[in-house]
Amino acid sequence: MSRTTSPVVKGERGGLWTAIAPRLRGLVFSPVTFALAAGLALAVVILLATGANPLTAIGALFVGAFGEDGISDTISQAIPIVGLAIALAIPLRAGLVNLGGEGQLVLGAMAAVVTGLYSPFPGFVTLVLALVAGMVAGGLYACIAALGEIKFGVPLLVTSLLLSYPAMSFASYLVRHPLREEGSALPQTQRVPAEAHLASFDIGPAHISVGAVLVLVVIVLFTVSDARTPGGYEVRMTGLGPRFAAYAGVNRNRLTLRLLFISGSLAGMVGAILMLGFPYRFIDGALITPAYVWTGLMAALLAAAAPVGTAIAAAFFAALSVGGFGMERATEVPRELSAVLQAVIIVFLAARTGMFRRKRQRDTANGDED
Amino acid sequence: MPIDTELFFSALRALTPILFAALGGALCERAGVFNISLEGTLLIGCFTAVAGSWFTGSPWLGVLFAMVAGILFSLILAVGTVTLKGNSIVLCVAMNLLALGLTTYLLRTVFGAQGSFTDPNLQGLSRIDIPLVADIPLVGPVVSGHSPLVYLSWVAVVVLAVMLRRHVWGLRLRGVGETPDAAESLGVSVSRYRYAAIMTSGALCGLGGAQLALGNVTLFAENMTAGRGWIAVVAVMLGAAAPVGVFLAGGLFGVAEALGYRLQGLGMPQQAADAAPYLVTLVALFLAARRVRRQAQAATTSTADGGSDPTPEAAAPVGPQRE
């Protein structure tokens, strides 16, 4: 009742501005804004130090990301980065850190390719089976790290990351030996048959894969379940206070296993999407070189694992990455500046968040209500 | 069949970068800081060592620059977690990614190279044959002929082991880590000791990076640490944050890496050699955790039978102590 009347009262008193002002102030002074501003300032300093014109470089970055030629690339990059950001944000919501996205991505991709190449079923069925195979492969692999934490008490953080290396080595072996395309000197598989390819369509200047639709569906499901389901509530409660959640009856072990399976499944699904879209085959190293997983992880951290925030942050970082190429073409500033910028933003965010926390503690100590 | 001295020689060489990083991680752990930025700091050390050696012509100045760079880079963690009380996991993950982006960026801008940089004029670390020791059968070929930093890492193990057990500074550091409130009430500055631990780990990672880039090979390649910093984090856990334990745990990786390359020579695929060190580390981690868990259960059973209370050490899970 009070919640319903509150905005009306505010509206009557001061109009729209009164209602918007607090939210706007929160945005301006939020840790995220500070981190972004600090990152931008540092980028300007770096550009000046290396003799580049900051305005030209940053302008080129924007044109590269959002111009007529760049928008399709940004969307193409956003599919894996947003997908992986969501995959890693889900356990992060409960305070769990899955650093093994690369292994899960690669195994998911390999499972999808093998299914696509050897499935006896007609095209559409093969397509669905390939996606499912990718999800299962990624999910089960992530469960190894989850079981390590549950059964042995070994930190998920470390095991999930270490498991990535054998997965990448295994996939590398498969593509260079048993699955190598006949007659080719490159470490790549045959193309998945055309009937099993993911379709794509055009909206204005943008060329979009159906994979984007799948990722959007995942975002919606995550948003809804996070906010509206008992499971989502349990996850958030565990993230805020593991002991309190356990006291309230949340089974942390089961939650860990479930969340890691979902996380790995989504990473595997991204791998499958990348295989079933251009270039329709597994190329050794092609999934690792762009650093999709790490970019996605940083987006999840930037948004504190909130569903919509994570998607927005990931799209922003995808634009930064694509813009980096545009900047490089226009100004000869290496595109790796994008990666530096992303990491700097997170560093400032982590430090700044701590600062806010300490200030609040001090106010509380003084007896203030916060 | 003669014992393969070359295998153990390679193992000791492979161990060194991980050992330096793990010693740094162990110090931080003792001081109550969960430092998983070893991977990034090692990489910064690699790049700075190569750049320093290249521009000065002296590999030893490269080593010095690597230590300084490691210290400066680790200040990010010190300021972020000790002073600003930020989340150490988020901060460390970001630092690792920052190191990756920064070294790749600098590789382009400083050397004009992409992927890797090496040059015939780039000076690496020389190797030392130890008089008398070199002539001992079996031991000589294994122990002699390493770069000075390899020997320095062994000295560091001993020095830190003694310091942490016998020296006022080490005892205070442990106090800061185990019961910071009590340490503070006794007048020991928690912040100061944590800063010292983090900066020391930065210097040690700088040394590890220098050994990797100038001792084991003579080049810089993108992401050349390839997870060694994470192996070091595991070594800290396996070794219970004790210098000697860390040495033994890190040795596992060294042997696995050397063995992997040996097996590759016998026809095993390169990918198996690449994966072997990580698999060995994971298996060791699970086995060690099982041992700790069993001890905890035994202690619990003893309590149930009316025995003494289980000791906190026996009940503690593998990994950082957090309440």
Side-chain angles (χ1 to χ4, degrees), chain A residues 152-153 158 161 165 169 176 243 328 335-336 343 354-355 357-358, chain B residues 83-85 97-98 104 108 114 227 230 234 271 285 289 293 318 323:
Chain A
F152 297 98
V158 173
L161 184 117
Y165 293 97
S169 294
R176 288 171 185 271
R243 288 182 164 190
E328 185 173 39
R335 65 180 178 276
E336 283 80 14
M355 180 178 283
R357 183 178 307 133
R358 190 167 75 154
Chain B
T83 302
L84 299 180
K85 303 292 194 291
L97 294 167
L98 175 58
T104 305
R108 298 279 300 276
Q114 191 160 5
W230 291 104
V234 173
Q271 289 80 23
L285 197 51
R293 189 58 68 89
V318 169
E323 288 296 336

PDB file of all heavy atoms in Angstrom, chain A residues 152-153 158 161 165 169 176 243 328 335-336 343 354-355 357-358, chain B residues 83-85 97-98 104 108 114 227 230 234 271 285 289 293 318 323:
ATOM      1  N   PHE A 152      35.299 -32.475  -1.737  1.00  0.00           N
ATOM      2  CA  PHE A 152      36.671 -32.414  -1.237  1.00  0.00           C
ATOM      3  C   PHE A 152      37.000 -31.084  -0.575  1.00  0.00           C
ATOM      4  O   PHE A 152      38.055 -30.939   0.018  1.00  0.00           O
ATOM      5  CB  PHE A 152      37.662 -32.647  -2.385  1.00  0.00           C
ATOM      6  CG  PHE A 152      37.543 -34.004  -3.015  1.00  0.00           C
ATOM      7  CD1 PHE A 152      36.831 -34.182  -4.186  1.00  0.00           C
ATOM      8  CD2 PHE A 152      38.139 -35.103  -2.434  1.00  0.00           C
ATOM      9  CE1 PHE A 152      36.713 -35.424  -4.768  1.00  0.00           C
ATOM     10  CE2 PHE A 152      38.028 -36.356  -3.009  1.00  0.00           C
ATOM     11  CZ  PHE A 152      37.314 -36.516  -4.178  1.00  0.00           C
ATOM     12  N   GLY A 153      36.128 -30.107  -0.731  1.00  0.00           N
ATOM     13  CA  GLY A 153      36.437 -28.802  -0.174  1.00  0.00           C
ATOM     14  C   GLY A 153      37.506 -28.054  -0.940  1.00  0.00           C
ATOM     15  O   GLY A 153      38.108 -27.117  -0.426  1.00  0.00           O
ATOM     16  N   VAL A 158      39.814 -22.308  -8.277  1.00  0.00           N
ATOM     17  CA  VAL A 158      41.069 -22.824  -8.812  1.00  0.00           C
ATOM     18  C   VAL A 158      40.842 -24.039  -9.696  1.00  0.00           C
ATOM     19  O   VAL A 158      41.405 -24.147 -10.782  1.00  0.00           O
ATOM     20  CB  VAL A 158      42.039 -23.169  -7.661  1.00  0.00           C
ATOM     21  CG1 VAL A 158      43.275 -23.857  -8.194  1.00  0.00           C
ATOM     22  CG2 VAL A 158      42.414 -21.911  -6.908  1.00  0.00           C
ATOM     23  N   LEU A 161      39.389 -23.290 -13.167  1.00  0.00           N
ATOM     24  CA  LEU A 161      40.356 -22.721 -14.097  1.00  0.00           C
ATOM     25  C   LEU A 161      41.371 -23.759 -14.563  1.00  0.00           C
ATOM     26  O   LEU A 161      41.681 -23.854 -15.747  1.00  0.00           O
ATOM     27  CB  LEU A 161      41.093 -21.546 -13.464  1.00  0.00           C
ATOM     28  CG  LEU A 161      42.038 -20.894 -14.468  1.00  0.00           C
ATOM     29  CD1 LEU A 161      41.633 -19.480 -14.741  1.00  0.00           C
ATOM     30  CD2 LEU A 161      43.463 -20.980 -14.033  1.00  0.00           C
ATOM     31  N   TYR A 165      42.667 -26.044 -18.937  1.00  0.00           N
ATOM     32  CA  TYR A 165      43.844 -26.352 -19.746  1.00  0.00           C
ATOM     33  C   TYR A 165      43.772 -27.745 -20.364  1.00  0.00           C
ATOM     34  O   TYR A 165      43.993 -27.891 -21.573  1.00  0.00           O
ATOM     35  CB  TYR A 165      45.119 -26.158 -18.917  1.00  0.00           C
ATOM     36  CG  TYR A 165      45.367 -24.714 -18.558  1.00  0.00           C
ATOM     37  CD1 TYR A 165      44.987 -24.212 -17.318  1.00  0.00           C
ATOM     38  CD2 TYR A 165      45.958 -23.847 -19.465  1.00  0.00           C
ATOM     39  CE1 TYR A 165      45.192 -22.885 -16.997  1.00  0.00           C
ATOM     40  CE2 TYR A 165      46.167 -22.520 -19.146  1.00  0.00           C
ATOM     41  CZ  TYR A 165      45.780 -22.038 -17.915  1.00  0.00           C
ATOM     42  OH  TYR A 165      45.980 -20.730 -17.602  1.00  0.00           O
ATOM     43  N   SER A 169      43.601 -28.645 -24.377  1.00  0.00           N
ATOM     44  CA  SER A 169      44.575 -29.569 -24.970  1.00  0.00           C
ATOM     45  C   SER A 169      43.865 -30.728 -25.657  1.00  0.00           C
ATOM     46  O   SER A 169      44.251 -31.154 -26.750  1.00  0.00           O
ATOM     47  CB  SER A 169      45.516 -30.115 -23.893  1.00  0.00           C
ATOM     48  OG  SER A 169      46.306 -29.085 -23.364  1.00  0.00           O
ATOM     49  N   ARG A 176      43.515 -31.754 -34.421  1.00  0.00           N
ATOM     50  CA  ARG A 176      44.759 -31.914 -35.174  1.00  0.00           C
ATOM     51  C   ARG A 176      44.997 -33.356 -35.617  1.00  0.00           C
ATOM     52  O   ARG A 176      45.841 -33.608 -36.474  1.00  0.00           O
ATOM     53  CB  ARG A 176      45.946 -31.452 -34.319  1.00  0.00           C
ATOM     54  CG  ARG A 176      46.010 -29.959 -34.148  1.00  0.00           C
ATOM     55  CD  ARG A 176      47.059 -29.546 -33.129  1.00  0.00           C
ATOM     56  NE  ARG A 176      47.017 -28.118 -32.906  1.00  0.00           N
ATOM     57  CZ  ARG A 176      47.716 -27.232 -33.611  1.00  0.00           C
ATOM     58  NH1 ARG A 176      48.509 -27.654 -34.575  1.00  0.00           N
ATOM     59  NH2 ARG A 176      47.624 -25.949 -33.364  1.00  0.00           N
ATOM     60  N   ARG A 243      25.911 -18.136   5.253  1.00  0.00           N
ATOM     61  CA  ARG A 243      25.534 -18.784   6.504  1.00  0.00           C
ATOM     62  C   ARG A 243      24.056 -18.592   6.804  1.00  0.00           C
ATOM     63  O   ARG A 243      23.365 -19.510   7.253  1.00  0.00           O
ATOM     64  CB  ARG A 243      26.359 -18.199   7.653  1.00  0.00           C
ATOM     65  CG  ARG A 243      27.804 -18.649   7.597  1.00  0.00           C
ATOM     66  CD  ARG A 243      28.537 -18.092   8.774  1.00  0.00           C
ATOM     67  NE  ARG A 243      29.797 -18.781   8.986  1.00  0.00           N
ATOM     68  CZ  ARG A 243      30.538 -18.603  10.073  1.00  0.00           C
ATOM     69  NH1 ARG A 243      30.135 -17.792  11.021  1.00  0.00           N
ATOM     70  NH2 ARG A 243      31.670 -19.238  10.213  1.00  0.00           N
ATOM     71  N   GLU A 328      42.397   0.882 -34.281  1.00  0.00           N
ATOM     72  CA  GLU A 328      43.716   0.488 -34.772  1.00  0.00           C
ATOM     73  C   GLU A 328      43.872   0.814 -36.254  1.00  0.00           C
ATOM     74  O   GLU A 328      44.914   1.296 -36.696  1.00  0.00           O
ATOM     75  CB  GLU A 328      43.917  -1.013 -34.534  1.00  0.00           C
ATOM     76  CG  GLU A 328      45.300  -1.511 -34.889  1.00  0.00           C
ATOM     77  CD  GLU A 328      45.502  -2.952 -34.489  1.00  0.00           C
ATOM     78  OE1 GLU A 328      44.552  -3.742 -34.637  1.00  0.00           O
ATOM     79  OE2 GLU A 328      46.597  -3.304 -34.035  1.00  0.00           O
ATOM     80  N   ARG A 335      44.932  -2.403 -30.740  1.00  0.00           N
ATOM     81  CA  ARG A 335      43.581  -2.693 -30.255  1.00  0.00           C
ATOM     82  C   ARG A 335      43.594  -3.250 -28.833  1.00  0.00           C
ATOM     83  O   ARG A 335      42.568  -3.259 -28.166  1.00  0.00           O
ATOM     84  CB  ARG A 335      42.895  -3.685 -31.184  1.00  0.00           C
ATOM     85  CG  ARG A 335      43.567  -5.053 -31.209  1.00  0.00           C
ATOM     86  CD  ARG A 335      42.838  -5.997 -32.150  1.00  0.00           C
ATOM     87  NE  ARG A 335      43.485  -7.295 -32.228  1.00  0.00           N
ATOM     88  CZ  ARG A 335      44.507  -7.571 -33.027  1.00  0.00           C
ATOM     89  NH1 ARG A 335      44.993  -6.639 -33.813  1.00  0.00           N
ATOM     90  NH2 ARG A 335      45.044  -8.770 -33.042  1.00  0.00           N
ATOM     91  N   GLU A 336      44.747  -3.741 -28.378  1.00  0.00           N
ATOM     92  CA  GLU A 336      44.811  -4.306 -27.027  1.00  0.00           C
ATOM     93  C   GLU A 336      44.494  -3.269 -25.963  1.00  0.00           C
ATOM     94  O   GLU A 336      44.260  -3.620 -24.808  1.00  0.00           O
ATOM     95  CB  GLU A 336      46.191  -4.905 -26.760  1.00  0.00           C
ATOM     96  CG  GLU A 336      46.411  -6.249 -27.420  1.00  0.00           C
ATOM     97  CD  GLU A 336      46.765  -6.126 -28.888  1.00  0.00           C
ATOM     98  OE1 GLU A 336      47.094  -5.005 -29.332  1.00  0.00           O
ATOM     99  OE2 GLU A 336      46.717  -7.133 -29.604  1.00  0.00           O
ATOM    100  N   ALA A 343      40.003  -4.136 -18.112  1.00  0.00           N
ATOM    101  CA  ALA A 343      40.559  -4.593 -16.837  1.00  0.00           C
ATOM    102  C   ALA A 343      40.681  -3.434 -15.857  1.00  0.00           C
ATOM    103  O   ALA A 343      40.405  -3.584 -14.662  1.00  0.00           O
ATOM    104  CB  ALA A 343      41.917  -5.247 -17.070  1.00  0.00           C
ATOM    105  N   GLY A 354      34.860  -1.181  -2.368  1.00  0.00           N
ATOM    106  CA  GLY A 354      35.356  -1.334  -1.013  1.00  0.00           C
ATOM    107  C   GLY A 354      35.309  -0.020  -0.260  1.00  0.00           C
ATOM    108  O   GLY A 354      34.977   0.037   0.917  1.00  0.00           O
ATOM    109  N   MET A 355      35.626   1.052  -0.969  1.00  0.00           N
ATOM    110  CA  MET A 355      35.645   2.365  -0.336  1.00  0.00           C
ATOM    111  C   MET A 355      34.255   2.727   0.163  1.00  0.00           C
ATOM    112  O   MET A 355      34.077   3.207   1.282  1.00  0.00           O
ATOM    113  CB  MET A 355      36.136   3.406  -1.341  1.00  0.00           C
ATOM    114  CG  MET A 355      36.188   4.812  -0.803  1.00  0.00           C
ATOM    115  SD  MET A 355      36.832   5.953  -2.032  1.00  0.00           S
ATOM    116  CE  MET A 355      38.577   5.592  -1.930  1.00  0.00           C
ATOM    117  N   ARG A 357      31.931   0.716   0.959  1.00  0.00           N
ATOM    118  CA  ARG A 357      31.563  -0.147   2.069  1.00  0.00           C
ATOM    119  C   ARG A 357      32.156   0.399   3.363  1.00  0.00           C
ATOM    120  O   ARG A 357      31.518   0.441   4.403  1.00  0.00           O
ATOM    121  CB  ARG A 357      32.051  -1.568   1.807  1.00  0.00           C
ATOM    122  CG  ARG A 357      31.641  -2.559   2.873  1.00  0.00           C
ATOM    123  CD  ARG A 357      32.118  -3.964   2.546  1.00  0.00           C
ATOM    124  NE  ARG A 357      31.712  -4.380   1.217  1.00  0.00           N
ATOM    125  CZ  ARG A 357      32.531  -4.960   0.331  1.00  0.00           C
ATOM    126  NH1 ARG A 357      33.794  -5.151   0.636  1.00  0.00           N
ATOM    127  NH2 ARG A 357      32.089  -5.326  -0.838  1.00  0.00           N
ATOM    128  N   ARG A 358      33.391   0.823   3.302  1.00  0.00           N
ATOM    129  CA  ARG A 358      34.054   1.298   4.516  1.00  0.00           C
ATOM    130  C   ARG A 358      33.375   2.560   5.026  1.00  0.00           C
ATOM    131  O   ARG A 358      33.173   2.739   6.225  1.00  0.00           O
ATOM    132  CB  ARG A 358      35.530   1.576   4.238  1.00  0.00           C
ATOM    133  CG  ARG A 358      36.306   1.842   5.523  1.00  0.00           C
ATOM    134  CD  ARG A 358      37.774   1.799   5.293  1.00  0.00           C
ATOM    135  NE  ARG A 358      38.254   2.997   4.606  1.00  0.00           N
ATOM    136  CZ  ARG A 358      39.508   3.441   4.732  1.00  0.00           C
ATOM    137  NH1 ARG A 358      40.358   2.800   5.497  1.00  0.00           N
ATOM    138  NH2 ARG A 358      39.904   4.506   4.084  1.00  0.00           N
TER     139      ARG A 358
ATOM    140  N   THR B  83      43.854  -1.073   2.082  1.00  0.00           N
ATOM    141  CA  THR B  83      43.417   0.282   2.406  1.00  0.00           C
ATOM    142  C   THR B  83      41.939   0.489   2.103  1.00  0.00           C
ATOM    143  O   THR B  83      41.189   1.012   2.922  1.00  0.00           O
ATOM    144  CB  THR B  83      44.251   1.310   1.622  1.00  0.00           C
ATOM    145  OG1 THR B  83      45.628   1.124   1.949  1.00  0.00           O
ATOM    146  CG2 THR B  83      43.835   2.728   1.961  1.00  0.00           C
ATOM    147  N   LEU B  84      41.518   0.076   0.910  1.00  0.00           N
ATOM    148  CA  LEU B  84      40.144   0.358   0.486  1.00  0.00           C
ATOM    149  C   LEU B  84      39.182  -0.782   0.807  1.00  0.00           C
ATOM    150  O   LEU B  84      37.986  -0.665   0.564  1.00  0.00           O
ATOM    151  CB  LEU B  84      40.107   0.651  -1.015  1.00  0.00           C
ATOM    152  CG  LEU B  84      40.933   1.861  -1.466  1.00  0.00           C
ATOM    153  CD1 LEU B  84      40.820   2.052  -2.962  1.00  0.00           C
ATOM    154  CD2 LEU B  84      40.479   3.111  -0.740  1.00  0.00           C
ATOM    155  N   LYS B  85      39.705  -1.903   1.318  1.00  0.00           N
ATOM    156  CA  LYS B  85      38.872  -3.037   1.700  1.00  0.00           C
ATOM    157  C   LYS B  85      38.030  -3.571   0.535  1.00  0.00           C
ATOM    158  O   LYS B  85      36.902  -4.019   0.746  1.00  0.00           O
ATOM    159  CB  LYS B  85      37.944  -2.644   2.863  1.00  0.00           C
ATOM    160  CG  LYS B  85      38.660  -2.125   4.103  1.00  0.00           C
ATOM    161  CD  LYS B  85      39.469  -3.204   4.794  1.00  0.00           C
ATOM    162  CE  LYS B  85      39.893  -2.779   6.184  1.00  0.00           C
ATOM    163  NZ  LYS B  85      40.897  -1.692   6.172  1.00  0.00           N
ATOM    164  N   LEU B  97      43.883 -10.018 -15.737  1.00  0.00           N
ATOM    165  CA  LEU B  97      43.472  -9.638 -17.084  1.00  0.00           C
ATOM    166  C   LEU B  97      44.161  -8.344 -17.512  1.00  0.00           C
ATOM    167  O   LEU B  97      44.499  -8.161 -18.681  1.00  0.00           O
ATOM    168  CB  LEU B  97      41.954  -9.495 -17.136  1.00  0.00           C
ATOM    169  CG  LEU B  97      41.222 -10.822 -16.921  1.00  0.00           C
ATOM    170  CD1 LEU B  97      39.745 -10.608 -16.667  1.00  0.00           C
ATOM    171  CD2 LEU B  97      41.429 -11.735 -18.118  1.00  0.00           C
ATOM    172  N   LEU B  98      44.375  -7.450 -16.555  1.00  0.00           N
ATOM    173  CA  LEU B  98      45.087  -6.207 -16.855  1.00  0.00           C
ATOM    174  C   LEU B  98      46.514  -6.506 -17.303  1.00  0.00           C
ATOM    175  O   LEU B  98      47.015  -5.927 -18.268  1.00  0.00           O
ATOM    176  CB  LEU B  98      45.108  -5.306 -15.619  1.00  0.00           C
ATOM    177  CG  LEU B  98      45.913  -4.002 -15.731  1.00  0.00           C
ATOM    178  CD1 LEU B  98      45.406  -3.142 -16.874  1.00  0.00           C
ATOM    179  CD2 LEU B  98      45.845  -3.227 -14.420  1.00  0.00           C
ATOM    180  N   THR B 104      50.450  -7.339 -23.697  1.00  0.00           N
ATOM    181  CA  THR B 104      50.218  -7.465 -25.138  1.00  0.00           C
ATOM    182  C   THR B 104      50.272  -6.098 -25.813  1.00  0.00           C
ATOM    183  O   THR B 104      50.862  -5.934 -26.885  1.00  0.00           O
ATOM    184  CB  THR B 104      48.852  -8.120 -25.400  1.00  0.00           C
ATOM    185  OG1 THR B 104      48.792  -9.369 -24.715  1.00  0.00           O
ATOM    186  CG2 THR B 104      48.644  -8.361 -26.872  1.00  0.00           C
ATOM    187  N   ARG B 108      53.301  -4.522 -28.484  1.00  0.00           N
ATOM    188  CA  ARG B 108      53.078  -3.840 -29.752  1.00  0.00           C
ATOM    189  C   ARG B 108      53.755  -2.480 -29.787  1.00  0.00           C
ATOM    190  O   ARG B 108      54.390  -2.115 -30.777  1.00  0.00           O
ATOM    191  CB  ARG B 108      51.575  -3.666 -29.988  1.00  0.00           C
ATOM    192  CG  ARG B 108      50.800  -4.963 -30.099  1.00  0.00           C
ATOM    193  CD  ARG B 108      50.902  -5.576 -31.469  1.00  0.00           C
ATOM    194  NE  ARG B 108      50.380  -4.700 -32.497  1.00  0.00           N
ATOM    195  CZ  ARG B 108      49.091  -4.624 -32.818  1.00  0.00           C
ATOM    196  NH1 ARG B 108      48.209  -5.357 -32.178  1.00  0.00           N
ATOM    197  NH2 ARG B 108      48.694  -3.816 -33.775  1.00  0.00           N
ATOM    198  N   GLN B 114      54.179  -8.640 -32.528  1.00  0.00           N
ATOM    199  CA  GLN B 114      52.880  -9.224 -32.203  1.00  0.00           C
ATOM    200  C   GLN B 114      53.090 -10.710 -31.947  1.00  0.00           C
ATOM    201  O   GLN B 114      53.728 -11.396 -32.734  1.00  0.00           O
ATOM    202  CB  GLN B 114      51.904  -9.013 -33.359  1.00  0.00           C
ATOM    203  CG  GLN B 114      50.476  -9.344 -33.005  1.00  0.00           C
ATOM    204  CD  GLN B 114      49.479  -8.684 -33.946  1.00  0.00           C
ATOM    205  OE1 GLN B 114      49.863  -8.055 -34.928  1.00  0.00           O
ATOM    206  NE2 GLN B 114      48.208  -8.833 -33.642  1.00  0.00           N
ATOM    207  N   GLY B 227      49.244 -20.085 -17.068  1.00  0.00           N
ATOM    208  CA  GLY B 227      48.629 -20.724 -15.916  1.00  0.00           C
ATOM    209  C   GLY B 227      49.591 -21.086 -14.797  1.00  0.00           C
ATOM    210  O   GLY B 227      49.174 -21.653 -13.790  1.00  0.00           O
ATOM    211  N   TRP B 230      48.534 -19.788 -11.490  1.00  0.00           N
ATOM    212  CA  TRP B 230      47.453 -20.550 -10.875  1.00  0.00           C
ATOM    213  C   TRP B 230      47.993 -21.832 -10.256  1.00  0.00           C
ATOM    214  O   TRP B 230      47.528 -22.267  -9.196  1.00  0.00           O
ATOM    215  CB  TRP B 230      46.372 -20.867 -11.906  1.00  0.00           C
ATOM    216  CG  TRP B 230      45.639 -19.649 -12.329  1.00  0.00           C
ATOM    217  CD1 TRP B 230      45.774 -18.967 -13.504  1.00  0.00           C
ATOM    218  CD2 TRP B 230      44.668 -18.934 -11.567  1.00  0.00           C
ATOM    219  NE1 TRP B 230      44.948 -17.873 -13.514  1.00  0.00           N
ATOM    220  CE2 TRP B 230      44.254 -17.824 -12.343  1.00  0.00           C
ATOM    221  CE3 TRP B 230      44.110 -19.110 -10.311  1.00  0.00           C
ATOM    222  CZ2 TRP B 230      43.320 -16.907 -11.900  1.00  0.00           C
ATOM    223  CZ3 TRP B 230      43.165 -18.191  -9.862  1.00  0.00           C
ATOM    224  CH2 TRP B 230      42.783 -17.107 -10.659  1.00  0.00           C
ATOM    225  N   VAL B 234      47.740 -23.119  -6.291  1.00  0.00           N
ATOM    226  CA  VAL B 234      47.477 -24.478  -5.815  1.00  0.00           C
ATOM    227  C   VAL B 234      48.617 -24.958  -4.923  1.00  0.00           C
ATOM    228  O   VAL B 234      48.393 -25.609  -3.893  1.00  0.00           O
ATOM    229  CB  VAL B 234      47.288 -25.438  -7.001  1.00  0.00           C
ATOM    230  CG1 VAL B 234      47.178 -26.874  -6.512  1.00  0.00           C
ATOM    231  CG2 VAL B 234      46.053 -25.059  -7.797  1.00  0.00           C
ATOM    232  N   GLN B 271      49.777 -32.339 -27.211  1.00  0.00           N
ATOM    233  CA  GLN B 271      48.685 -31.871 -26.358  1.00  0.00           C
ATOM    234  C   GLN B 271      48.664 -32.608 -25.026  1.00  0.00           C
ATOM    235  O   GLN B 271      48.265 -32.050 -24.007  1.00  0.00           O
ATOM    236  CB  GLN B 271      47.343 -32.036 -27.077  1.00  0.00           C
ATOM    237  CG  GLN B 271      47.144 -31.068 -28.228  1.00  0.00           C
ATOM    238  CD  GLN B 271      47.854 -31.506 -29.497  1.00  0.00           C
ATOM    239  OE1 GLN B 271      48.144 -32.689 -29.674  1.00  0.00           O
ATOM    240  NE2 GLN B 271      48.143 -30.571 -30.376  1.00  0.00           N
ATOM    241  N   LEU B 285      45.652 -32.038  -5.861  1.00  0.00           N
ATOM    242  CA  LEU B 285      44.754 -31.184  -5.091  1.00  0.00           C
ATOM    243  C   LEU B 285      43.616 -32.003  -4.494  1.00  0.00           C
ATOM    244  O   LEU B 285      43.275 -31.871  -3.321  1.00  0.00           O
ATOM    245  CB  LEU B 285      44.208 -30.100  -6.015  1.00  0.00           C
ATOM    246  CG  LEU B 285      43.557 -28.853  -5.425  1.00  0.00           C
ATOM    247  CD1 LEU B 285      44.447 -28.210  -4.385  1.00  0.00           C
ATOM    248  CD2 LEU B 285      43.262 -27.876  -6.543  1.00  0.00           C
ATOM    249  N   ALA B 289      43.079 -32.907  -0.547  1.00  0.00           N
ATOM    250  CA  ALA B 289      41.829 -32.521   0.095  1.00  0.00           C
ATOM    251  C   ALA B 289      41.192 -33.717   0.771  1.00  0.00           C
ATOM    252  O   ALA B 289      40.634 -33.624   1.858  1.00  0.00           O
ATOM    253  CB  ALA B 289      40.883 -31.923  -0.932  1.00  0.00           C
ATOM    254  N   ARG B 293      40.257 -34.086   4.635  1.00  0.00           N
ATOM    255  CA  ARG B 293      38.881 -34.393   5.016  1.00  0.00           C
ATOM    256  C   ARG B 293      38.845 -35.611   5.928  1.00  0.00           C
ATOM    257  O   ARG B 293      38.099 -35.672   6.902  1.00  0.00           O
ATOM    258  CB  ARG B 293      38.043 -34.615   3.751  1.00  0.00           C
ATOM    259  CG  ARG B 293      36.560 -34.736   3.971  1.00  0.00           C
ATOM    260  CD  ARG B 293      35.967 -33.511   4.647  1.00  0.00           C
ATOM    261  NE  ARG B 293      35.993 -32.310   3.819  1.00  0.00           N
ATOM    262  CZ  ARG B 293      35.013 -31.974   2.983  1.00  0.00           C
ATOM    263  NH1 ARG B 293      33.970 -32.758   2.833  1.00  0.00           N
ATOM    264  NH2 ARG B 293      35.080 -30.846   2.309  1.00  0.00           N
ATOM    265  N   VAL B 318      40.965 -27.396   2.921  1.00  0.00           N
ATOM    266  CA  VAL B 318      42.061 -26.942   2.081  1.00  0.00           C
ATOM    267  C   VAL B 318      41.675 -25.589   1.507  1.00  0.00           C
ATOM    268  O   VAL B 318      40.554 -25.388   1.065  1.00  0.00           O
ATOM    269  CB  VAL B 318      42.318 -27.943   0.942  1.00  0.00           C
ATOM    270  CG1 VAL B 318      43.262 -27.360  -0.080  1.00  0.00           C
ATOM    271  CG2 VAL B 318      42.868 -29.224   1.516  1.00  0.00           C
ATOM    272  N   GLU B 323      36.632 -16.507   7.726  1.00  0.00           N
ATOM    273  CA  GLU B 323      35.474 -16.591   8.619  1.00  0.00           C
ATOM    274  C   GLU B 323      34.522 -15.455   8.314  1.00  0.00           C
ATOM    275  O   GLU B 323      34.959 -14.329   8.137  1.00  0.00           O
ATOM    276  CB  GLU B 323      35.920 -16.532  10.083  1.00  0.00           C
ATOM    277  CG  GLU B 323      36.624 -17.803  10.530  1.00  0.00           C
ATOM    278  CD  GLU B 323      35.717 -19.017  10.492  1.00  0.00           C
ATOM    279  OE1 GLU B 323      34.481 -18.845  10.569  1.00  0.00           O
ATOM    280  OE2 GLU B 323      36.220 -20.132  10.361  1.00  0.00           O
TER     281      GLU B 323
END
